[in-house]
Each structure stands twice: as C-alpha cells, then as structure tokens.
Amino acid sequence: MSRTIRATIAALFGYSRFAIAIVVGLALVPFTLRQVGPQMYGYWLASGELLAYASLTEFGVLVTLPWLIAQADGQADRNRMRELLTTGGAAALMSASAALVVSLVLWFVLPVVLHLAPVQRSAVTGPVLVMALLGVVAHPLRVFTCTLTGLQDVRFIGVSDLCVMALNPIITVVMLLNGDGLYALAFGNAVPPLIVGFVSLLRVGSIAPDLLRSWHRPRWPAIRQLFTEGTGSWIGGWGWRLFSASDGLVLASMGRPTAVAALAFTNKLAQALTQLSWVPCDSGLPGLAHLAGEHPGPRLRQAIVVMVRVYLALAGSVACVIIAVNPAFVRGWVGLNFFAGDKANFIIAMLVVAMTFGHALAVVSSVLGQRIQLGVATLLSGIIHVALAFGLGLRFGIVGVLFAGLLSHGLVFALLAWRPFAKATGMPETAVLSEILRPWLWRLAPLVAMALVIQKLLGTPRLPVTIAVGALMGLFGVWYMRPLYLEFGPVRTLYDRFFKWLPFRDAPGEEAA
C-alpha cells in the first residue's frame, strides 16, 4: 500500500471522526447543559484545562514514538522496533507515575484556583480525580496505539477511533440520565481510551506477534535517549497547553464561569473545523518523514510547499465559514446568551488561520528534526499568551483573551518559528512569503468579502439552514482554493472523490485561473 493510499485512508477516517463529533456535539452539549447547568459546566471545562497539564509529564515520548517506529519499519529493523516498544513502555510507565503525582497536587489546588464553594467543590473535584486516575492507567497502553500508528495500520486505527466516538456519548448520556452529574462526563471521556489501549495490545499481537516476544529489560540509556528525542515535542506541548488550555482558566479565575461557557460555545465550531482542516496533511506526516529519508532534495522541498499551501487553503475556507455562519450557528444551537459577540467571532476566524500556519511550521520542522527549536518557540509563545490573556482579559473580557492568542500565536510564534522552518526545509525565509503566503492571500481576500456579506444577510434562521449555508460556503472555499493544493497526493485523491461530478474538474497538476 503506497504512502498516498495510506494517508488518504487515514484522512477519510479522520473526516468521519470529525463529522460524528460535530453531530454528537450538537446534540450532547445542550443536553448536558440542561442536566448539569451552565455554571457547573463552565467549571468543568476550566478544571479540564487545569488537569490537562498533568498529561505533559510524558515528555513527548508518545509524540515521537510513531515516527521512530515508522523509520525502523522502513529499514526492516525488527530488533529496533522491539526495543522501541519496550523502551517506550518503560518511559510511559514513568510518565504515568509522574502524572499521578501532578494530578493529586492539582486535585488539591483546583478549588483554590477556581474559587469553588464547598458545594461546588464536592461536585467538581470528585469527577476530576476519577478522570485523572483512569487516564494514568490508560497512558502506558497508548504505546501499543503508537506502534500501530508507526506500522501505518490505518484501517484499524480509524475503526478504533470511531468506536471511541460512539462510546463517549453512550456512557455520558446513560450516566447523565441516571443523575450522575459531572461523573458522567468524567467516565465518558476516560473509559473509551482505556478500552482502545487494551484492544491495541491485542492488535499488535495479531499483526506483529514477534514484537511482543523476546523482550529485554529496558536500559536506562535507551530510555533517556527516547526522552531526549521527545524533549522538543514535550517543550512544545507545554507551549500549546499554555495557549489552548488557559483561556478558560483565565476567565474562571476572574470569577466569570459563564464567560468560560460562552467562549467555549462560540469557539466550538472553529475548533472542530480547524482540526478537520488539518486531517489531510497530518495524515501525510509519516509519508513526509519517509520521503525525507529517500529524497532529501527538490522533490522534498516541493512537497513541503504544497503541504503548507494545503494547510492554509483549508484554514482559509474554515475562517470564512466561521465569519459567515458561526453567529447564527451559536444562537440557534445554545441560545443568544452563549454567543461571545461579533468581535470575538471575527478574532476566532483570524485565530483559525494563525493557529494553522503555526501548526504547519511546527509539525513540518519537527518531523525534519528541528524539535528543540520549535519546542522552545512554542513555550515562549505560550508564556507570552498567558501574560497577555490576563492583562487584556481583565480589561476587555473574552475579546481581550482571544486577541492575546492572536498576538502570541499569530505574531510571536510565527516570528520565532520562521528560521527553524527555513533551516529544516532548506527554504529561504523569503520563499515562504513568495511561494506560500502571497498566492494564498490573493485567493483568500474575495472569500472573506463573500463571508461578510453572507453574515449580514443570513440573520438567525433555523439551525439546519445555517448548517447548510456553512457547508456550501466551505465547499465553495475548498473548490476555489484548488490551485494551491491539487499537487498534494492525499488531497488530490479526496478532491477527485468528492468533486468527480464537476464537468470542469481540474486535471492533475493543472492550475485553475
């Protein structure tokens, strides 16, 4: 099976996963709000952001492990793969132990940070502890999922992800109807990954049983080397966590739990669609690493240019959807009181682009070896973001917090990541502007103008109408941006599949006017 086919299968599963997530979210969030109330739900979101910091004790091992296994698999080095499996397992056990300690500390700190009253404390901290303990048990089992990712067992990984998507709402709804409150959210989020970990272990035993035999005791130098390989991703993880898991904490610490919910709901569609737009290129990252080993020359450079164009082309379409329909979507979904306002919505659309550009710079550079440099850049940007979020949030509320993200990630991170990206790819900094940003901006401007017009004309129709208009806007944006991305194999395959009915569909390599 070729790299393109594997990446395409992974992308299709990814799209299916996100489609299910959007459908489930549309139904599950309003139901959850009715069961637990907006205030408790806001505290739950903020406590989840705080608890997420405990996961950073894994030092990036599980991020880099699939790439290392894929490299060893490409070299047909089974001994190396076996060593990576046992060493990764030992490292994951150490990380899980550290995560348990951090989770217990956070469990005591949580009521103070969120200013919880005694009644609220008993309702929130118990579920948080349950989620932390189950997460610690599931963490070492992720090594087997990483092994399957490195082996590019894309069909199994896709099916297991869909099973998780189904189990989460089932557990949550059943327990909410039983009156279990926030415990329903805790078990709904924590149990499915635990099950997938055990199933992944069985799958590895089925397709690669030799990797589970003749294990040797992991040596500390090998474990330390694995931690070193993941250090850059780990440092970057702290930065991403400061950026993505701090806004709710900032607002909650100011005594605004309902603002946490408003921000979450206004940002929900953007977060889902942004992740959706990353699927094609993220699915191709193992193939990029493989290509870098085979052809580190002009072919690799061309692949990188097209890949970053894909990221930005899809992100631009998402940003236009957010501008056009998100105000009507949020009002029709959860009500006017949970929409953060037009200014916040426009900044969120800009953040979609800024985060995607930063993500593209980060993942490409990391796959090609610039992990430490990108990790440091991400961490510095995250620290700056928290400082700006507190300062601007106190004065401007949700809009200030969002604008802090635009400054920290759209400006600071891009400037810090520019040089490592140029070094990793062998591209001069000016090439990013001339070959990637300039043609993208030229095609984006008319789409933004169209999105603003649609927003003014749309009003607040019924939710199915809003969704239909958003879908049409997104599809038109994807089609309009096609000259920027049709050279990328997985995207070309998806484009041919979904737009094959167009009589004027572009031929491979052809650029539309």
Side-chain angles (χ1 to χ4, degrees):
M1 189 183 297
S2 69
R3 288 191 296 260
T4 296
I5 292 176
R6 285 195 177 98
T8 301
I9 293 174
L12 289 172
F13 273 116
Y15 281 128
S16 301
R17 183 174 67 250
F18 279 109
I20 294 173
I22 291 172
V23 172
V24 170
L26 287 173
L28 188 59
V29 170
F31 176 75
T32 303
L33 273 175
R34 290 194 296 270
Q35 296 296 317
V36 303
Q39 185 179 54
M40 293 306 299
Y41 191 68
Y43 280 126
W44 170 257
L45 293 175
S47 63
E49 290 185 353
L50 187 64
L51 187 62
Y53 283 95
S55 65
L56 294 173
T57 58
E58 66 101 7
F59 295 97
V61 170
L62 299 182
V63 176
T64 56
L65 187 61
W67 299 339
L68 297 174
I69 290 177
Q71 182 182 20
D73 186 37
Q75 297 169 345
D77 190 346
R78 307 297 286 187
N79 290 331
R80 172 62 175 162
M81 295 172 67
R82 195 177 295 111
E83 179 187 13
L84 286 170
L85 182 58
T86 55
T87 304
L93 285 172
M94 296 172 63
S95 299
S97 301
L100 178 60
V101 173
V102 175
S103 298
L104 292 175
V105 172
L106 293 177
W107 185 66
F108 287 105
V109 171
L110 181 66
V112 178
V113 174
L114 300 184
H115 306 292
L116 297 177
V119 176
Q120 297 167 337
R121 182 178 306 178
S122 61
V124 174
T125 55
V128 168
L129 182 61
V130 167
M131 190 169 173
L133 293 174
L134 291 178
V136 167
V137 175
H139 184 75
L141 294 173
R142 289 177 57 195
V143 171
F144 300 103
T145 306
C146 291
T147 302
L148 295 174
T149 302
L151 294 172
Q152 299 185 64
D153 189 10
V154 290
R155 288 192 177 92
F156 175 82
I157 294 171
V159 171
S160 64
D161 285 344
L162 294 181
C163 290
V164 169
M165 298 299 299
L167 281 174
N168 181 304
I170 291 173
I171 295 173
T172 301
V173 169
V174 169
M175 293 187 67
L176 282 174
L177 291 175
N178 195 45
D180 294 314
L182 295 182
Y183 281 99
L185 305 182
F187 280 99
N189 281 283
V191 169
L194 188 63
I195 296 174
V196 168
F198 281 111
V199 174
S200 297
L201 168 60
L202 298 176
R203 177 64 174 176
V204 172
S206 173
I207 67 172
D210 60 300
L211 298 183
L212 301 181
R213 295 194 295 262
S214 302
W215 283 4
H216 298 288
R217 180 180 299 176
R219 297 176 292 109
W220 170 244
I223 297 175
R224 184 177 58 194
Q225 178 62 33
L226 194 56
F227 277 123
T228 302
E229 291 281 351
T231 298
S233 298
W234 176 74
I235 295 173
W238 276 101
W240 277 103
R241 187 59 59 191
L242 288 170
F243 177 76
S244 62
S246 297
D247 292 349
L249 286 173
V250 169
L251 292 171
S253 67
M254 296 175 185
R256 303 177 182 179
T258 54
V260 179
L263 176 59
F265 294 138
T266 306
N267 205 20
K268 185 71 172 180
L269 183 62
Q271 289 178 332
L273 294 181
T274 299
Q275 295 291 327
L276 192 67
S277 72
W278 292 355
V279 168
C281 293
D282 283 359
S283 301
L285 290 176
L288 180 67
H290 194 272
L291 180 62
E294 284 185 349
H295 304 285
R299 183 179 174 190
L300 175 64
R301 184 181 185 278
Q302 182 186 23
I304 292 169
V305 168
V306 176
M307 179 175 279
V308 179
R309 283 181 177 180
V310 172
Y311 274 120
L312 288 176
L314 299 181
S317 299
V318 170
C320 291
V321 170
I322 298 305
I323 293 171
V325 304
N326 196 46
F329 173 78
V330 177
R331 292 171 188 143
W333 177 35
V334 290
L336 178 62
N337 292 335
F338 290 106
F339 179 58
D342 290 334
K343 291 181 180 179
N345 187 68
F346 192 78
I347 297 175
I348 287 172
M350 297 173 68
L351 272 171
V352 169
V353 173
M355 289 183 63
T356 299
F357 185 57
H359 177 74
L361 295 179
V363 294
V364 171
S365 303
S366 297
V367 167
L368 299 180
Q370 295 290 305
R371 299 186 188 103
I372 295 292
Q373 294 84 345
L374 265 298
V376 172
T378 308
L379 180 59
L380 289 175
S381 301
I383 293 172
I384 291 172
H385 171 72
V386 173
L388 290 173
F390 270 104
L392 296 175
L394 284 170
R395 184 175 178 86
F396 302 106
I398 291 177
V399 171
V401 170
L402 289 171
F403 193 70
L406 198 60
L407 291 175
S408 62
H409 211 74
L411 181 62
V412 175
F413 179 76
L415 292 174
L416 292 174
W418 199 283
R419 187 170 295 275
F421 178 82
K423 183 178 179 180
T425 60
M427 297 171 57
E429 288 88 341
T430 54
V432 178
L433 178 62
S434 62
E435 298 184 36
I436 297 173
L437 293 179
R438 187 179 299 161
W440 170 74
L441 286 169
W442 181 256
R443 298 194 73 83
L444 179 65
L447 285 180
V448 173
M450 179 185 297
L452 289 170
V453 171
I454 292 174
Q455 181 196 97
K456 296 298 182 182
L457 297 177
L458 186 62
T460 307
R462 294 182 179 274
L463 194 57
V465 175
T466 302
I467 294 173
V469 173
L472 290 174
M473 179 74 214
L475 287 173
F476 178 78
V478 170
W479 175 80
Y480 180 75
M481 289 283 190
R482 68 196 184 284
L484 301 178
Y485 59 70
L486 287 185
E487 298 171 66
F488 186 61
V491 177
R492 177 78 221 189
T493 302
L494 291 171
Y495 178 84
D496 287 341
R497 179 180 295 271
F498 289 108
F499 293 98
K500 60 184 178 182
W501 46 272
L502 291 176
F504 46 89
R505 183 167 51 91
D506 304 83
E510 178 184 341
E511 295 222 340

